[in-house]
Amino acid sequence: MVQYNFKKITVVPNGKDFVDIILSRTQRQTPTVVHKGYAISRLRQFYMRKVKYTQQNFHEKLSTIIDEFPRLDGIHPFYGDLLHVLYNKDHYKLALGQINTARNLISKIAKDYVKLLKYGDSLYRCKCLKVAALGRMCTVIKRIAPSLAYLEQIRQHMARLPSIDPNTRTILICGYPNVGKSSFINKITRADVEVQPYAFTTKSLFVGHTDYKYLRYQVIDTPGILDRPFEDRNIIEMCSITALAHLRAAVMFFLDISGSCGYSIAQQAALFHSIKSLFLNKPLIIVCNKTDLQPLEGISEEDKKLVMEMKAEAMKTVIGQGGDPASDQGVLLTMSTLTEDGVIAVKNAACERLLDQRVEVKMKSKKINDCLNRFHVAIPKPRDQKERPPCIPQAVLEAKAKQAAEKEKRRTERDLENENGGAGVYSASLKKNYILANDEWKEDVMPEIIDGHNVCDFIDPDILQRLEELEREEGLRQAEEADDDFEMDGQELTPEEKQALAEIRRKKTLLIQEHRVKKSTAESRPIVPRKFDKDRKFTTHRMGRQLSSLGLDPSLAINRAHSKSRGRKRERSPERGANSGDDMDMDVDTPNKKLRLRSSSRSRSTSRPPGEIVPGEGFKDSSQKVKAVKLAKKSAKKRNKNARRGEADRVIPTLKPKFVFREALYRKRRR
């Protein structure tokens, strides 16, 4: 379990916010009303309470900062050296020391001013002492503002550090930049480390987790290291050196035998020999990566000799740990992260080596002696000399063999994808799992399915014959309709009717032509109002002359065309003048009911008294209604005082509550 969780460190406010937080809390949590007429002991107690409460708040906040930041001498050496590399432990300790000094100064200031307040002889003097005490405390906080800002930056950076447990099973990956370390950790864990074809893509430690034999292993990807003196290495390289020096882990030194990383095998071998002192008492595995570009057997003799020397150094670590010197399995391995050839074998070898080394260490420790007396291995004693070999039923053996054969023959979608062009090119077939009578039908092109039927279900074999019959019937029906059409040839009409028919047809043709012209120019032709119709084309007199020429009575059409005013005019009775105001007499004398309704609606409305009962309100008399109105007003009175709109309104519209500005009001009164 991870012991160091830097993400829980409280945010460190800057100097100004620090002062605002503490003074605001003092103002809210302590009494704010005091009068000159109070006893002097009460005045002293009032201001002593403010000074003590402010000092306690400063002390709690500063103590939280000091306690939550880790002490470099009390944590694991790995984290201590890592924080020293990243932040310089001298500056870190100096900042925390200044915070501690400020806490002690604030306590001393509060103690001194509380003593002075005990001898305050007036309200004015006590208040001046309180203001001086709070001012000196705030001055101390403002002086340590740079230290607070520095610690806040450190807190933000520490929160982004990976959670590494130095005591768990760990696999450490190291080597030159761009040799495939990040690609390997992405393959064996769920970590998502950025991979780019240039050096120093990884600039900090990254952590992933993998499982082997039901155990969880911690895999750490370190930034690349260059072969140069220790004092010339930068912060990125020192992170890797710190991890190699302090973590008990299985070390995997990656070697790019293709040279595509930009560094030769000789340079990588020189780096191996320069940092081999960091591999002592740790399982070491040399991994030759990028075998897809250059196999190990194809390198030159000089490079192969350098690789063998590195393997010999790795074997020394095996011998030093009590391993078998004749066994060189798991010391020099080859793989390719691009094709994933040998990736799982390298992971399993590293986990196995680390597990054996941890078991060996535990067996050599003193704790094992306390546990040996608890172990008991039961060995059954033979009851006779008869041999009893293991008996497994033949059916079980056959089923197991069949299952193994099917497992070998089974090809996954990943295999098919790799064979057919890879991701983005291969498209998985969704028809191969169809259950059909014949497997050859699976790849047939199927027509569109509609309501459980395909297109073939809707095809009629006699469709052409039926189409011919329908066409024949349609031809016969059209011929019958042509025979039944009535055309007015004019032979049965009188000369006057023929003249009227010719006039109607001519007029119809003119209307059609005029409509076509208007339609073609409708977008660009404005609508001309009737009063600007200078030609007087559309008038009732013209319409009357046309209807009269046709032998029709135009009076009804002209009366209908005349516009009537829809406004309500006041009808006057013939026997009364225009200024008559006796509406009641007019209503009685008016014979028409409609006129009486109009005259009554124009009468001036009168206000209804509060006690008047309207049908449907549910009151038996006017006194009951007056009493109900009084009760309603009384219930809303309290809500209206609070300026609320309804019973569910909980908004306090006062933007400046009096309890916050009580002291300001007190100052105003004193002036």
Side-chain angles (χ1 to χ4, degrees), residues 317-513:
T317 61
V318 175
I319 297 171
Q321 295 170 9
D324 186 8
S327 175
D328 59 350
Q329 297 293 330
V331 176
L332 180 63
L333 300 174
T334 59
M335 72 170 188
S336 173
T337 54
L338 181 63
T339 61
E340 298 186 9
D341 184 17
V343 172
I344 301 301
V346 170
K347 184 200 82 167
N348 294 342
C351 295
E352 191 68 33
R353 289 280 304 279
L354 178 61
L355 193 60
D356 294 343
Q357 190 256 355
R358 289 174 66 90
V359 171
E360 187 68 25
V361 170
K362 289 183 179 180
M363 291 296 293
K364 292 180 180 180
S365 64
K366 295 181 180 179
K367 293 182 180 180
I368 194 65
N369 297 326
D370 300 333
C371 301
L372 282 176
N373 57 354
R374 304 178 191 174
F375 297 154
H376 174 68
V377 180
I379 300 177
K381 295 181 180 180
R383 58 186 178 183
D384 50 25
Q385 301 298 326
K386 185 177 180 181
E387 294 184 0
R388 294 180 175 85
C391 180
I392 301 176
Q394 187 65 27
V396 175
L397 294 175
E398 292 177 357
K400 202 168 185 180
K402 184 178 180 182
Q403 185 178 2
E406 290 179 355
K407 190 174 182 180
E408 291 179 358
K409 292 180 181 179
R410 184 183 177 188
R411 302 175 67 193
T412 61
E413 287 292 333
R414 176 64 64 85
D415 299 334
L416 297 174
E417 180 181 334
N418 294 334
E419 292 177 3
N420 295 279
V425 178
Y426 172 73
S427 179
S429 175
L430 302 178
K431 301 179 180 179
K432 61 184 179 182
N433 295 324
Y434 287 178
I435 301 175
L436 301 176
N438 190 354
D439 291 340
E440 296 179 357
W441 298 346
K442 292 181 179 180
E443 301 300 330
D444 291 348
V445 179
M446 298 176 61
E448 184 178 357
I449 302 299
I450 303 175
D451 297 334
H453 303 280
N454 55 28
V455 178
C456 295
D457 296 332
F458 298 96
I459 293 178
D460 189 355
D462 302 331
I463 186 67
L464 297 177
Q465 182 179 356
R466 295 188 179 185
L467 182 60
E468 292 178 358
E469 294 177 356
L470 289 174
E471 290 178 351
R472 193 179 306 111
E473 292 178 2
E474 182 69 13
L476 295 175
R477 188 179 64 81
Q478 291 179 356
E480 292 176 358
E481 290 179 356
D483 296 339
D484 296 339
D485 286 346
F486 173 77
E487 292 185 359
M488 187 178 289
D489 52 0
Q491 296 180 359
E492 301 87 356
L493 301 178
T494 61
E496 292 80 5
E497 291 177 347
K498 289 182 180 179
Q499 185 178 359
L501 179 60
E503 184 66 21
I504 290 172
R505 288 178 176 175
R506 186 181 65 81
K507 184 64 177 177
K508 183 177 179 181
T509 304
L510 292 175
L511 290 174
I512 291 173
Q513 292 177 358

Side-chain angles (χ1 to χ4, degrees), residues 11-67:
V11 177
V12 181
N14 56 37
K16 186 177 181 302
D17 294 343
F18 207 117
V19 171
D20 293 343
I21 291 169
I22 300 301
L23 294 184
S24 176
R25 185 180 297 176
T26 302
Q27 184 71 9
R28 287 184 286 108
Q29 300 293 336
T30 57
T32 56
V33 178
V34 67
H35 298 290
K36 191 175 181 180
Y38 287 169
I40 189 63
S41 59
R42 186 174 178 182
L43 295 175
R44 292 170 184 167
Q45 190 67 29
F46 177 83
Y47 288 108
M48 286 167 60
R49 181 176 179 181
K50 282 188 173 293
V51 173
K52 288 181 180 179
Y53 190 80
T54 306
Q55 182 266 332
Q56 290 175 1
N57 284 335
F58 275 121
H59 188 277
E60 291 176 2
K61 199 74 175 177
L62 296 174
S63 299
T64 302
I65 295 172
I66 295 172
D67 294 339

